[in-house]
Amino acid sequence: MEQKARYHREAVNGCAFRMRYLEGGVFEMGSNEKSESPIHQVELSPFYIGEYPVTQALWKAVMGVNNNPSRFIGENRPVEQVSWLDIVEGNQDGNGTPAFLQKLNNATKFTRPAGYAYRLPTEAEWEYAARGGEPYEYAGSDQLKEIGWYRGNSHGETKAVGLKRPNGFQLHDMTGNVWGWCLDKFSNSFYKECYDQGIVKDPLCDDEETRFRALRGGSWYNYPQRCRVSYRSYWLPTSRYSRVGFCLVLALVQR
């Protein structure tokens, strides 16, 4: 598997999925909205990101066929009601359950590119991927209904992934359907810290003063304002909601 292949195909217990390769580079992150400012330049290393949010089929392929925490059941719907801890750390429920990422990386140790591992996206990686190299308010369009499921068209539930058209990077459901957990902790001051550094490379917020983890993308439950590519939200890492899922990144192990 060459690092610069257009995508990486993976399969776990018969469930196939695909990761798109993104070149990275410098982009402008944020907006002039209060919690999204100041706009600052970020340089990202190359990485792969899932074409779709993690589905219930993939979650069960990794965690076990009887393990599906989702409220809205469907193999091709995004998994939801999963906490940040369920994904990243595991072992929080008293019965020694491993984290999703631990099990996924164990299952793919002979098939993923050498030196690469699966993890959550950073906020910067998520926003770069969602923007898709395009100047739109949402991930692929200025018309939310064209590319995402939100309060105005979701009928109060998640939908199967991939039903709406993709953004410029050929990624689906970056806007709406379910929020996506990010690797970062959430800090209102982090963007200003990045701005003061000039062009910051591969930023990751690990603010010891907060327990909150960042969320991006909006959901089936939200109005358009919260589905913008620059909008930021947060919840405690123990939180489990039917509005929250996640996407995968495959990147060189650096952190």
Side-chain angles (χ1 to χ4, degrees):
M1 174 67 197
E2 294 183 3
Q3 178 180 339
K4 292 191 176 181
R6 246 179 352 108
Y7 51 80
H8 173 63
R9 297 178 187 269
E10 195 74 83
V12 178
N13 293 325
C15 182
F17 60 100
R18 198 160 70 168
M19 308 291 293
R20 285 274 176 183
Y21 179 79
L22 302 186
E23 291 282 355
V26 177
F27 81 108
E28 290 195 335
M29 184 174 181
S31 79
N32 291 319
E33 297 289 334
K34 183 176 181 181
S35 68
E36 305 159 19
S37 66
I39 297 172
H40 56 287
Q41 289 190 312
V42 170
E43 181 181 357
L44 290 179
S45 301
F47 63 98
Y48 295 85
I49 190 166
E51 290 184 318
Y52 309 104
V54 171
T55 62
Q56 293 171 39
L58 179 54
W59 179 271
K60 292 194 298 180
V62 173
M63 300 298 287
V65 294
N66 295 319
N67 185 328
N68 186 0
S70 304
R71 174 185 174 189
F72 302 110
I73 301 300
E75 293 290 279
N76 291 322
R77 293 191 192 210
V79 69
E80 18 93 0
Q81 297 196 139
V82 290
S83 72
W84 191 94
L85 293 177
D86 294 333
I87 301 162
V88 178
E89 294 185 5
N91 299 314
Q92 300 298 313
D93 53 9
N95 65 6
T97 303
F100 175 88
L101 288 172
Q102 177 186 342
K103 296 193 73 172
L104 176 62
N105 280 313
N106 285 341
T108 59
K109 59 186 175 182
F110 299 119
T111 55
R112 51 189 160 85
Y116 280 67
Y118 288 100
R119 59 168 170 79
L120 289 175
T122 65
E123 273 203 88
E125 288 167 341
W126 187 94
E127 186 168 324
Y128 172 79
R131 289 183 179 277
E134 301 168 318
Y136 297 126
E137 190 169 16
Y138 309 107
S141 177
D142 285 328
Q143 301 300 316
L144 180 52
K145 64 182 179 181
E146 295 178 355
I147 48 81
W149 300 106
Y150 69 109
R151 183 177 283 258
N153 66 359
S154 70
H155 310 101
E157 62 181 11
T158 61
K159 304 293 185 183
V161 300
L163 296 180
K164 295 289 188 178
R165 66 178 177 82
N167 71 359
F169 289 156
Q170 298 304 298
L171 305 175
H172 295 261
D173 297 276
M174 295 296 289
T175 288
N177 218 354
V178 288
W179 289 97
W181 285 112
C182 290
L183 191 58
D184 304 64
K185 288 188 173 181
F186 180 89
S187 168
N188 277 316
S189 64
F190 187 58
Y191 278 20
K192 179 62 165 58
E193 295 167 14
C194 291
Y195 177 84
D196 290 343
Q197 294 179 51
I199 299 177
V200 61
K201 185 169 183 179
D202 297 326
L204 174 68
C205 180
D206 194 23
D207 187 349
E208 295 181 358
E209 299 300 315
T210 180
R211 291 184 57 214
F212 293 108
R213 294 287 174 173
L215 291 163
R216 302 298 294 262
S219 77
W220 60 267
Y221 179 83
N222 294 112
Y223 291 104
Q225 169 71 6
R226 296 196 171 194
C227 296
R228 295 176 297 106
V229 290
S230 56
Y231 187 84
R232 308 174 71 210
S233 190
Y234 58 89
W235 267 319
L236 288 170
T238 52
S239 302
R240 297 185 179 100
Y241 295 108
S242 62
R243 306 190 292 277
V244 180
F246 66 107
C247 63
L248 288 171
V249 154
L250 179 64
L252 281 168
V253 178
Q254 297 175 340
R255 53 171 65 97

